[in-house]
Amino acid sequence: MGAAKETKGTRAVRKLTRPLPAGIAGAVNQLYFELQTWSDNLRGTRKARAYHGRSGLKLHLGSGTNYKDGWVNVDLSGDVDLTLDLRRSLPLPDNSCRIIFSEHVLEHFEHPEPAGTLVAECYRLLEPGGMLSLAVPDGEMVLKAYVLGESDEYWRILKDHATHGETTPMELLNYQFRQDGQHRFYYDLETLAKLLTAKGFVNVRRREFDPATDTPSRKFGSLYVAAEKPLS
């Protein structure tokens, strides 16, 4: 599970709860979301049975609207193969995947949990020697830009992505880190490598942008990392 998906149901519930006090309305909306997520996850768990006994899978976690042919695309809604809650154990067999890809998803999970649970599940699902390929917002980049006063081009690009009229570096920094409450934790290479290594991954390294998998519009400001499950 990454960012909460806006659906007809959530919009209807939000409309119905608008007259309620903010705290109660928020709790009702969250309850509806959790119940819908539970239902979607049950449906995805049933569909996942079709992958039992298979190996060499390419798993795309948090696919959103970026459906990849030849991959098992996983998210809570949209054009996906499996609707699954990524906070829970994933209903696929051990060692069934040769590669797992996730782009701008991990930052939507609280750290160290349930981010650690998701990384551990990736380790379990990968075959020995299999690769985990991640892209997350680059926390070090935005902090350096703010502290060092760099660079005009950087802030101009961030302004193009802002949604509430943010213009000052501090406003833009807050927008990057919070994303309207959807972002939970920001990473640099050291911190992401620490999490991956703690769950058993080896050869954790920064990788280059890969046009075969990565989204071009997210190239700027992304930290790309690859890691491997040991052969034995």
Side-chain angles (χ1 to χ4, degrees):
M1 186 194 76
K5 302 296 188 297
E6 182 78 1
T7 65
K8 290 182 179 178
T10 55
R11 286 193 293 271
V13 171
R14 189 170 291 113
K15 183 178 180 180
L16 288 171
T17 58
R18 198 168 293 151
L20 298 175
I24 296 175
V28 172
N29 279 290
Q30 185 62 32
L31 176 61
Y32 174 83
F33 172 74
E34 293 294 345
L35 289 171
Q36 186 62 56
T37 297
W38 176 68
S39 176
D40 290 341
N41 189 74
L42 286 177
R43 186 172 70 255
T45 297
R46 289 192 293 268
K47 288 188 67 175
R49 295 169 186 164
Y51 295 94
H52 287 202
R54 295 177 59 178
S55 60
L57 298 173
K58 298 194 296 181
L59 190 62
H60 181 194
L61 298 179
S63 55
T65 58
N66 185 22
Y67 188 91
K68 293 183 181 296
D69 292 328
W71 293 68
V72 181
N73 297 272
V74 177
D75 212 324
L76 281 175
S77 62
D79 184 17
V80 298
D81 299 301
L82 298 175
T83 53
L84 295 174
D85 182 353
L86 298 183
R87 298 170 299 180
R88 303 168 63 92
S89 178
L90 300 176
L92 292 169
D94 295 358
N95 308 316
S96 58
C97 301
R98 64 181 177 89
I99 183 170
I100 296 176
F101 174 75
S102 177
E103 183 178 45
H104 283 242
V105 172
L106 192 62
E107 70 274 11
H108 292 277
F109 294 82
E110 295 285 359
H111 176 91
E113 291 297 338
T117 295
L118 177 57
V119 171
E121 278 295 281
C122 290
Y123 185 91
R124 178 183 68 81
L125 294 177
L126 283 169
E127 63 189 29
M131 184 174 74
L132 176 62
S133 178
L134 298 174
V136 295
D138 192 335
E140 181 180 6
M141 179 185 291
V142 68
L143 289 174
K144 279 185 174 180
Y146 180 79
V147 172
L148 301 178
E150 302 172 352
S151 66
D152 290 343
E153 179 66 9
Y154 184 90
W155 299 116
R156 184 193 67 76
I157 293 173
L158 290 189
K159 287 177 187 177
D160 290 342
H161 290 84
T163 58
H164 300 298
E166 295 88 350
T167 58
T168 73
M170 180 57 74
E171 286 179 328
L172 291 165
L173 185 150
N174 272 279
Y175 174 73
Q176 285 298 104
F177 274 75
R178 294 173 59 82
Q179 289 279 305
D180 295 326
Q182 298 299 325
H183 283 181
R184 297 290 186 263
F185 194 85
Y186 249 47
Y187 293 90
D188 60 4
L189 179 61
E190 180 183 22
T191 306
L192 185 51
K194 177 183 176 182
L195 175 62
L196 296 173
T197 301
K199 301 303 178 182
F201 284 97
V202 298
N203 194 20
V204 180
R205 72 271 185 194
R206 188 188 297 268
R207 66 170 177 84
E208 296 297 321
F209 171 84
D210 183 356
T213 55
D214 300 320
T215 302
S217 62
R218 283 177 160 162
K219 182 177 181 179
F220 175 80
S222 289
L223 168 64
Y224 296 103
V225 173
E228 298 167 10
K229 183 173 180 176
L231 287 170
S232 60

